[in-house]
Amino acid sequence: MKYEIKNNSGSPIEFENEAQSLCGFAQKRFGFKKPPSLVFNEDQNNANKVLGKTGYYDPNTMEIHVFVTGRHPKDILRS
């Protein structure tokens, strides 16, 4: 299954295959029927904060938002 991934960061996402694989693993593990969309967001103000957000889930849109500014791909995928 191909999962919807939206890149709102303005930078290329070079780990989409890994994100797709992780989404598949999560769906198998947790058994949800309708997968959420994954949204990569850019936010320099958030990135400048030591305790800035790494991501959040919006139940109204069924989207997982992950902040990518200044972060290593491994850290982004952990979010």
Side-chain angles (χ1 to χ4, degrees):
M1 171 180 228
K2 183 94 168 153
Y3 299 91
E4 183 179 9
I5 297 177
K6 300 174 189 173
N7 182 8
N8 294 338
S9 73
S11 301
I13 299 297
E14 298 178 2
F15 49 89
E16 185 168 343
N17 289 339
E18 290 82 356
Q20 289 285 341
S21 178
L22 184 60
C23 289
F25 169 81
Q27 187 169 14
K28 278 185 183 177
R29 175 63 79 96
F30 299 114
F32 49 84
K33 304 235 184 294
K34 187 172 180 191
S37 299
L38 185 58
V39 182
F40 294 121
N41 293 319
E42 178 90 14
D43 187 335
Q44 190 61 51
N45 288 334
N46 182 65
N48 290 338
K49 298 175 185 174
V50 173
L51 297 176
K53 295 178 185 177
T54 58
Y56 65 92
Y57 175 67
D58 182 346
N60 295 319
T61 61
M62 290 187 61
E63 294 177 333
I64 298 172
H65 290 260
V66 180
F67 295 102
V68 300
T69 310
R71 298 176 67 199
H72 191 278
K74 286 191 286 189
D75 186 41
I76 294 167
L77 292 170
R78 282 191 291 256
S79 293

